[in-house]
Amino acid sequence: EKQQTPVSTTAAAAAAAVAASDDDDTLYEWDVYVCQSKACKERGAGATLDAFVGLAPPQVKVHPAIISKSRGKGPIVRCVKREQQQPQQQQQQKLKQQRETSDGNTSEKEKDDEDIEGVGGDLDAFEASAVDSVDKVYRILTKHMSLEGVDSTACECLKWNYQGNNHLEQGEVSKAIDCYGRAIGTGYADQEGVVLLMRSTAYLKRAFEHQRELRKVVDELQRIVPEPESLQMLFATAQANPSLARALHQRVLSDRRKQDRQFRQIKFRHSLYEYALLHAAQDSLRATQILPHYAKTWLRAGDSLAELRKLREAASYYEKAMEIDPTLVETLMPVVERLRKSQEFLDQARSLGWPEDTLRLALDVAG
């Protein structure tokens, strides 16, 4: 990232103040306000906020905010440094703010500070604009705020994760999967569950792409396979006109070769579909182990298992998701009921001797 993070002229003063403060024993903490206005969100302020939360050491408090009177392009970040307060000082500051609010005597300066709740006194502060990457967040924390303890491995992991998210939003599934793999490869454990969940989502999207191609191949096969009536007519024509029999026979053989190629394409596409689903299931099941209290991991695992026709298992994972997040009940309960009915159909078809591969292929094509 060659482009420097644009910062206001107060950034240099803030950095100098930080350096000067290193010589004493005073403890400082930072408040970081990440603008979440509509304009900033359109430029990725949500990811910027997540990056600060993921990278900031304990002495930094990160807040979503609406930052006004800023000339720079979003995402806008405002960083405020202040002396660490003792519990008694914090209570006194809170009571002072409550009195000022109730008296209705807030000054114009204090009104500006309301965008940065809890700010007061002589402070070092600076504002940065166009903070639209993890690298820029890392540079602000380490260079402009001169903080130690910012994990470079976490930075690398978040960078690949957000790149994967961008690719996924653009429909570039293969690039997204590659980025998520690189994020996991950093070994940063705190983000592993989230990245696995996102990679599972990407693999599901890839599976659906293969399923669409599979349906196209099946439709083409249906087009080239002749109806029984047509074959009977050709046979009757060959019997009535022996001179045409050889040509008709060659035509049937040519059509058969086309059909064989199409059958091989169906098997190939179906194997790609199932391969992507297996990866989606593997990642999502692992994510449920790492983030057992996060409903989305159980939901994604249910999605993957349902596509693999593991219907009983899928229903149990959906039920766990509803247990964690009751707001999902309205959406998922009909899905669970539908899975149970589908399971009854599968059990009946198996009892009638349907081959497992044929049954699975028919269901996957039908969706």
Side-chain angles (χ1 to χ4, degrees):
E1 185 73 49
K2 295 182 179 180
Q3 182 181 357
Q4 293 295 317
T5 306
V7 294
S8 65
T9 54
T10 56
V18 171
S21 66
D22 290 342
D23 297 334
D24 58 38
D25 296 328
T26 305
L27 297 177
Y28 293 94
E29 57 188 16
W30 286 85
D31 283 300
V32 175
Y33 299 88
V34 183
C35 185
Q36 298 295 296
S37 67
K38 182 179 178 180
C40 285
K41 280 189 172 182
E42 290 175 351
R43 294 177 177 270
T48 303
L49 177 65
D50 291 342
F52 270 106
V53 171
L55 294 177
Q59 67 268 35
V60 178
K61 297 178 181 178
V62 184
H63 316 272
I66 301 297
I67 298 178
S68 59
K69 300 181 180 180
S70 178
R71 297 179 181 178
K73 293 182 179 179
I76 304 296
V77 174
R78 189 172 293 173
C79 304
V80 182
K81 173 174 170 271
R82 55 188 169 83
E83 186 176 336
Q84 198 173 64
Q85 293 182 334
Q86 299 300 320
Q88 184 177 0
Q89 292 174 308
Q90 293 175 350
Q91 183 65 22
Q92 291 174 347
Q93 178 74 5
K94 184 176 180 180
L95 290 173
K96 178 182 177 182
Q97 291 173 347
Q98 289 175 346
R99 285 196 301 271
E100 291 172 344
T101 302
S102 61
D103 292 342
N105 294 325
T106 306
S107 67
E108 288 300 317
K109 179 180 181 302
E110 289 164 341
K111 286 180 181 178
D112 288 340
D113 285 343
E114 286 174 1
D115 287 335
I116 312 176
E117 185 180 354
V119 172
D122 296 328
L123 302 173
D124 296 313
F126 68 91
E127 187 175 283
S129 59
V131 187
D132 53 6
S133 71
V134 178
D135 286 336
K136 290 181 180 180
V137 171
Y138 183 80
R139 189 158 60 243
I140 288 173
L141 291 169
T142 57
K143 180 179 179 182
H144 297 297
M145 297 169 68
S146 299
L147 294 172
E148 297 180 354
V150 183
D151 194 336
S152 60
T153 302
C155 175
E156 190 71 9
C157 178
L158 288 172
K159 181 173 68 175
W160 286 115
N161 185 31
Y162 292 147
Q163 285 187 24
N165 293 345
N166 289 334
H167 286 307
L168 197 59
E169 289 177 4
Q170 298 297 322
E172 300 168 342
V173 177
S174 295
K175 291 181 179 180
I177 290 172
D178 178 65
C179 287
Y180 293 138
R182 291 172 182 267
I184 294 170
T186 63
Y188 184 60
D190 287 357
Q191 283 287 311
E192 184 182 3
V194 173
V195 179
L196 283 170
L197 177 61
M198 294 307 302
R199 191 170 69 173
S200 174
T201 302
Y203 272 120
L204 267 180
K205 286 195 172 187
R206 173 179 280 181
F208 294 145
E209 289 177 354
H210 289 313
Q211 187 182 48
R212 286 192 292 272
E213 292 301 317
L214 173 63
R215 287 171 177 167
K216 290 179 182 179
V217 177
V218 170
D219 289 342
E220 178 63 18
L221 178 63
Q222 290 176 333
R223 188 185 67 81
I224 65 177
V225 171
E227 296 292 335
E229 294 80 5
S230 299
L231 290 175
Q232 289 172 0
M233 186 179 298
L234 285 174
F235 181 72
T237 302
Q239 280 187 321
N241 302 276
S243 61
L244 298 176
R246 182 177 179 82
L248 292 173
H249 182 254
Q250 291 297 325
R251 175 182 170 183
V252 171
L253 288 178
S254 176
D255 289 344
R256 176 59 186 272
R257 285 192 289 269
K258 291 179 181 178
Q259 294 162 21
D260 287 342
R261 286 195 295 270
Q262 210 65 18
F263 273 120
R264 288 195 292 271
Q265 276 292 311
I266 288 174
K267 289 183 178 180
F268 174 68
R269 289 294 177 184
H270 189 236
S271 65
L272 291 177
Y273 170 68
E274 289 198 321
Y275 181 79
L277 286 179
L278 288 170
H279 275 287
Q282 183 180 34
D283 282 351
S284 57
L285 291 173
R286 175 61 180 151
T288 63
Q289 297 173 342
I290 299 173
L291 301 172
H293 304 297
Y294 190 37
K296 282 189 177 181
T297 62
W298 297 89
L299 176 61
R300 190 65 69 244
D303 293 340
S304 303
L305 292 169
E307 291 296 325
L308 283 168
R309 306 303 165 189
K310 303 292 184 182
L311 304 185
R312 289 191 181 90
E313 294 86 345
S316 67
Y317 276 84
Y318 283 143
E319 287 168 350
K320 181 65 176 180
M322 290 187 285
E323 178 185 327
I324 296 172
D325 184 359
T327 63
L328 295 173
V329 171
E330 184 177 354
T331 303
L332 290 183
M333 189 56 72
V335 176
V336 171
E337 292 300 322
R338 190 163 60 250
L339 290 178
R340 287 172 179 158
K341 290 180 181 178
S342 298
Q343 184 64 57
E344 292 175 4
F345 167 77
L346 284 175
D347 292 341
Q348 184 179 5
R350 290 184 179 116
S351 68
L352 294 174
W354 280 47
E356 191 70 27
D357 290 345
T358 302
L359 183 61
R360 193 169 64 249
L361 175 59
L363 291 170
D364 290 342
V365 171

